[in-house]
Amino acid sequence: MIGKILKYQLRDVIRSRWVIAYVLFFLVLTDILFRFGGDGLRVASSMMNIVLIVIPLASIVLGAFYLYNAREYIELLLCHPVKRHQLFWGMFLGLALPLVAAFSGGVLLPYLYNAASAEAWRAALMLVFTGSMLTVIFVAIAYYIALRFDDRIKGLGLALIICLFFTIIYDGIILFVIYIFSSYPLEKPVLVLSLLNPIDLGRILLLLQFDISALMGLTGAVFREFFGTALGMAISLASLLLWLAVPVIAGFRRFLVKDF
Amino acid sequence: MKWCVIKIFQRLFAITAVIGIVAVGMCPATTEASQRLASIAGIGDVMASQSVSESVRILEVGDQKEYTRIADALSAASDGDTIRIHTGTYREHGLTVDRRVAIFGVGRPVIDVEEKGEGIRITAGNVHIEGLEIRNVPTSHSRDLAAIRFERVSGGKVIGNILDNTFFGIYLARSHDMEIRDNELRAYQTRESVSANGIHLWNSDRAVIKGNVVIGHRDGIYLEYVQESSIHNNHVEKNIRYGLHFMFSDDCIYHDNRFENNGAGVAVMYSRRVIMKHNEFVNNWGAASYGLLLKEITDSEIFENEFSGNTIGIRSEGSDRVKKYRNRFHRNGWAIRIMASSMDNLITENNFIDNAFDVSTNSRQQSRNRFEANYWDKYSGYDLKGDGFGDVPYRPVRLFSLIVERNPMALMLLRSMFVQILDLTERVMPTITPETLVDEKPLMREVRL
């Protein structure tokens, strides 16, 4: 049943043009960077900025819009013998999967036809992994918000604020904390703080991939030491998965009992 | 008739002249030959006898040769002799060369010190050592044990030797006018306290160190109180501390060297009038690592070098009147870190490409160094006049680099959107970054090197 809903969803998403635009956006951008910058490593490093800003924003806005627009469709389906949890997963994957596919395809295609080096591929795959995780996480947050607030304006506003919070305000708070407690050893608290924001986490994982951290002296070494080890990797992955699980489960539970 | 006689006289005169010239020309040859004959007979002058014995006395060392031990040959030799050491392994140590001899390895003989002491100690001038392999000089905390050590001599050559697993490699103490060329030095220690320098010069002037490969020592090449020396075409890699360490050594030049992956890069300290050109400083990574550290360096020039993949390209402390031009800084953490204690430096015509930070400083006041006409890849100005220089000045010190200078932990926000916004606002209205650290006419295109 999930499969069937998913199939309809995918057909619907592909028929609407924004997914095409989304693919083209990443495709053209990566391609242009290849034409100007040259090697794949540099391209991945430039794409990182875009990915960390565009993906959360696009995912959360599209997610919220999508669910608000699908309201009548959901109501219609719920009149039929369709189980609620099936419908939820169909709706969720029906948006998250095309977004992930569009982003991955757009970024990776230029790598294919530009015959990038193995090192560049590694960086690109890490970029795609991080971007995909961020996509799914922010779609989940968007779904939760859309299910929580019936008022569209309120929901979209909140989605934007959450996005803004994680991309900008959170880092401001970190800087503030670093300044206030500058006379204390801050390595561990700052590591923990960075785990609490999926965008920061993604940024640090990517930075480590591009070897910049190795050039960054003592602080870089601290981060490398943590994220470079198996334990650090496990913790950061677990933290990303937790970021995924919490909004999905919250949204799911809300969906099961919501009075549409 | 009269005309005919004159003609004949002319001919005769010409022939005599030719014969005369030939005879005069042959004269030195004849005297030399007679001298040589005389000297072999034992009555020649001192100069001649020396040159003859050099070509005559060759001491052969090897299995089933005149001498089986190098030490025996050394004590039998006299000034000007040549010692040829043939293939084989010689388990000897503490060899002393106190006569002016030339030592050649034939088929690369191995001198295995077996961790028992030092290799060869030279106390005579103009000794030539070539083609040997010396192994296993032990670590010592009380003595500077070296594979080859020159002590208070003047003149001498060390060419094409391999030094493997040694404490000090080549050690020059108060030895002048030395040439150290095409040697390969390798050590395998991992801690600074139990390793020593590859090529170590102390109080030795006018040395030429070229074409050597130095790997895995504490400092690859170490110079202390050395004047007017030239260090070039060396490859210095994976040394525990510095690739090249320079102390109190004025008027030296080093060029075309490659310093790669050394613990802390290259350190040039307390010296004047040093010239550094065409070197490569590559991948010197780590918590306290730099391509090039300048500490108390004055009146020097650094040009046409390549700095890439270093934590810090150049760190400048208390260094005045240093001119840095036509260098390329590529993919460094910090390209140049110039401390407030440095002044009157000129930085011009360099390329800054893909560095996380181009310039950082701990100085909040007026910059006392000049940045002029460099190429900065982050520059986003325009050139309406079309003269190749941007019309808007470029400020290479970002606000974020100042923040990181004061709070290193803030580095974790590198490339964060928040930081980019901060930098942008500061760039539009500079209030915190040093106002005068500015490139008034940044180049629009890369300098072609």
Side-chain angles (χ1 to χ4, degrees):
Chain A
M1 198 64 202
I2 295 179
K4 207 172 237 175
I5 295 169
L6 196 58
K7 211 170 81 187
Y8 279 113
Q9 284 298 110
L10 287 179
R11 197 175 290 167
D12 181 41
V13 163
I14 287 164
R15 210 178 291 151
S16 67
R17 295 200 185 85
W18 55 261
V19 167
I20 316 264
Y22 200 63
V23 180
L24 280 180
F25 172 74
F26 285 106
L27 187 71
V28 168
L29 208 67
T30 317
D31 186 65
I32 287 175
L33 284 173
F34 258 109
R35 274 167 215 280
F36 278 96
D39 76 293
L41 215 58
R42 257 185 104 171
V43 172
S45 153
S46 307
M47 283 303 287
M48 171 186 155
N49 285 348
I50 313 281
V51 165
L52 291 177
I53 293 162
V54 170
I55 286 196
L57 187 67
S59 304
I60 206 165
V61 169
L62 283 174
F65 255 116
Y66 192 79
L67 210 63
Y68 280 128
N69 283 343
R71 187 71 180 256
E72 281 146 26
Y73 170 71
I74 292 170
E75 280 168 16
L76 178 75
L77 276 191
L78 284 180
C79 301
H80 294 79
V82 174
K83 292 219 171 75
R84 280 198 170 205
H85 69 264
Q86 291 170 339
L87 183 58
F88 177 80
W89 291 117
M91 295 292 293
F92 180 65
L93 295 176
L95 182 68
L97 286 185
L99 278 180
V100 166
F103 157 68
S104 315
V107 170
L108 290 182
L109 205 61
Y111 274 84
L112 263 182
Y113 62 71
N114 277 303
S117 65
E119 204 186 346
W121 268 104
R122 235 173 63 117
L125 288 176
M126 191 67 196
L127 184 77
V128 165
F129 169 74
T130 315
S132 306
M133 281 309 270
L134 286 179
T135 306
V136 182
I137 289 171
F138 279 87
V139 167
I141 294 175
Y143 270 35
Y144 176 74
I145 291 171
L147 291 168
R148 176 78 176 70
F149 300 96
D150 281 336
D151 185 358
R152 248 168 219 243
I153 307 297
K154 217 178 189 177
L156 277 173
L158 192 64
L160 281 177
I161 285 172
I162 284 180
C163 189
L164 206 66
F165 176 78
F166 283 129
T167 40
I168 299 171
I169 299 169
Y170 192 85
D171 289 348
I173 294 171
I174 288 186
L175 190 60
F176 189 67
V177 167
I178 288 174
Y179 253 86
I180 289 185
F181 298 103
S182 60
S183 41
Y184 297 89
L186 275 175
E187 282 82 0
K188 278 184 189 143
V190 167
L191 272 176
V192 171
L193 277 178
S194 70
L195 287 175
L196 294 180
N197 176 351
I199 299 178
D200 273 351
L201 193 55
R203 184 167 50 78
I204 290 169
L205 285 177
L206 283 175
L207 276 180
L208 287 168
Q209 207 56 38
F210 298 132
D211 276 339
I212 300 170
S213 63
L215 302 175
M216 287 287 112
L218 194 62
T219 318
V222 167
F223 275 83
R224 204 175 180 75
E225 216 159 79
F226 176 73
F227 288 103
T229 58
L231 181 71
M233 257 321 190
I235 290 177
S236 49
L237 267 182
S239 163
L240 270 181
L241 287 177
L242 200 68
W243 261 109
L244 177 61
V246 169
V248 168
I249 289 170
F252 180 59
R253 293 177 61 140
R254 208 157 182 94
F255 193 84
L256 290 186
V257 297
K258 186 171 168 67
D259 181 17
F260 280 99
Chain B
M1 185 61 197
K2 196 183 173 186
W3 175 83
C4 192
V5 169
I6 289 169
K7 194 84 179 173
I8 287 165
F9 266 103
Q10 272 183 346
R11 284 271 166 88
L12 274 173
F13 183 73
I15 289 165
T16 348
V18 168
I19 289 170
I21 287 166
V22 169
V24 167
M26 275 175 67
C27 217
T30 8
T31 42
E32 200 180 73
S34 64
Q35 256 182 10
R36 181 162 294 173
L37 281 170
S39 73
I40 286 169
I43 44 171
D45 60 38
V46 178
M47 279 302 291
S49 84
Q50 264 184 1
S51 73
V52 167
S53 68
E54 219 163 59
S55 58
V56 173
R57 286 260 303 183
I58 295 176
L59 287 76
E60 307 278 348
V61 183
D63 209 16
Q64 293 169 354
K65 291 274 190 305
E66 192 181 355
Y67 301 94
T68 49
R69 288 167 47 83
I70 301 168
D72 295 342
L74 283 172
S75 55
S78 49
D79 270 355
D81 286 353
T82 296
I83 297 175
R84 284 158 53 94
I85 304 175
H86 291 267
T87 318
T89 303
Y90 300 84
R91 300 183 197 287
E92 296 182 56
H93 65 274
L95 298 166
T96 309
V97 181
D98 50 7
R99 277 147 252 193
R100 185 173 55 79
V101 293
I103 301 173
F104 289 94
V106 180
R108 195 160 307 282
V110 175
I111 298 175
D112 191 342
V113 176
E114 294 182 303
E115 313 272 336
K116 281 178 184 159
E118 62 182 7
I120 305 177
R121 172 185 289 251
I122 294 112
T123 54
N126 290 315
V127 169
H128 183 120
I129 295 181
E130 185 170 343
L132 303 180
E133 176 165 346
I134 302 177
R135 284 190 195 155
N136 306 330
V137 175
T139 295
S140 162
H141 293 291
S142 53
R143 293 167 59 207
D144 292 346
L145 299 177
I148 301 175
R149 181 189 178 103
F150 287 83
E151 187 86 41
R152 290 170 189 274
V153 302
S154 127
K157 284 180 182 170
V158 184
I159 300 171
N161 300 288
I162 295 178
L163 309 182
D164 194 60
N165 189 25
T166 63
F167 187 49
F168 281 90
I170 299 169
Y171 193 118
L172 269 57
R174 291 188 193 280
S175 299
H176 306 303
D177 302 291
M178 298 282 310
E179 183 178 335
I180 300 173
R181 171 155 64 86
D182 300 327
N183 300 290
E184 240 182 273
L185 296 88
R186 264 169 226 271
Y188 307 96
Q189 296 289 2
T190 48
R191 281 186 300 130
E192 224 177 80
S193 55
V194 292
S195 63
N197 309 325
I199 298 175
H200 181 104
L201 272 70
W202 176 71
N203 248 312
S204 301
D205 297 344
R206 298 174 300 279
V208 175
I209 301 173
K210 73 171 185 187
N212 301 289
V213 177
V214 189
I215 298 171
H217 281 274
R218 181 176 61 196
D219 290 346
I221 301 173
Y222 179 89
L223 286 82
E224 191 174 343
Y225 301 110
V226 173
Q227 320 276 324
E228 293 168 51
S229 292
S230 161
I231 297 109
H232 56 99
N233 295 91
N234 299 290
H235 183 102
V236 185
E237 197 185 320
K238 296 194 193 99
N239 294 289
I240 301 165
R241 195 169 61 183
Y242 300 117
L244 173 70
H245 193 174
F246 223 71
M247 303 273 270
F248 312 106
S249 297
D250 302 343
D251 300 296
C252 288
I253 172 165
Y254 61 94
H255 61 92
D256 296 288
N257 300 292
R258 185 176 168 91
F259 302 101
E260 194 176 340
N261 249 320
N262 296 297
V266 168
V268 186
M269 304 182 178
Y270 312 106
S271 306
R272 284 169 293 175
R273 299 177 300 277
V274 181
I275 291 178
M276 309 165 218
K277 62 173 182 181
H278 300 291
N279 299 292
E280 287 173 272
F281 301 84
V282 187
N283 293 342
N284 297 294
W285 283 5
S289 201
Y290 13 72
L292 177 59
L293 167 70
L294 302 173
K295 200 177 171 87
E296 310 281 333
I297 297 295
T298 48
D299 301 297
S300 298
E301 292 195 17
I302 301 170
F303 59 97
E304 288 166 15
N305 300 289
E306 160 98 22
F307 296 85
S308 83
N310 304 295
T311 302
I312 301 170
I314 298 183
R315 181 187 163 103
S316 176
E317 271 177 48
S319 297
D320 306 334
R321 298 181 299 283
V322 177
K323 215 176 143 189
K324 306 182 184 90
Y325 57 98
R326 297 175 67 78
N327 300 293
R328 185 164 181 268
F329 298 88
H330 179 231
R331 278 178 59 85
N332 299 291
W334 285 265
I336 295 185
R337 247 183 126 172
I338 194 156
M339 309 315 260
S341 51
S342 299
M343 45 184 154
D344 300 320
N345 295 292
L346 172 66
I347 292 111
T348 183
E349 288 187 48
N350 301 290
N351 290 327
F352 292 85
I353 298 156
D354 278 352
N355 302 297
F357 297 101
D358 287 330
V359 177
S360 89
T361 176
N362 61 350
S363 160
R364 298 286 301 275
Q365 306 140 13
Q366 307 283 37
S367 164
R368 288 166 294 188
N369 301 294
R370 235 167 80 215
F371 288 78
E372 196 176 272
N374 297 286
Y375 171 77
W376 313 90
D377 67 341
K378 295 180 191 71
Y379 180 60
S380 53
Y382 46 82
D383 176 22
L384 284 182
K385 283 178 280 183
D387 57 358
F389 298 110
D391 298 344
V392 190
Y394 178 73
R395 296 174 188 282
V397 180
R398 295 163 57 191
L399 175 59
F400 184 48
S401 77
L402 276 187
I403 294 173
V404 170
E405 196 77 42
R406 300 171 99 202
N407 287 302
M409 255 344 263
L411 196 62
M412 70 143 302
L413 297 173
L414 180 71
R415 293 244 205 155
S416 148
M417 180 80 175
F418 175 72
V419 162
Q420 284 167 18
I421 292 172
L422 267 188
D423 277 346
L424 189 72
T425 47
E426 177 68 15
R427 196 153 287 177
V428 177
M429 285 176 65
T431 47
I432 304 164
T433 46
E435 214 167 301
T436 48
L437 207 163
V438 59
D439 190 334
E440 290 290 348
K441 43 177 205 174
L443 289 174
M444 295 304 288
R445 283 172 183 280
E446 261 179 67
V447 180
R448 289 184 63 180
L449 299 172

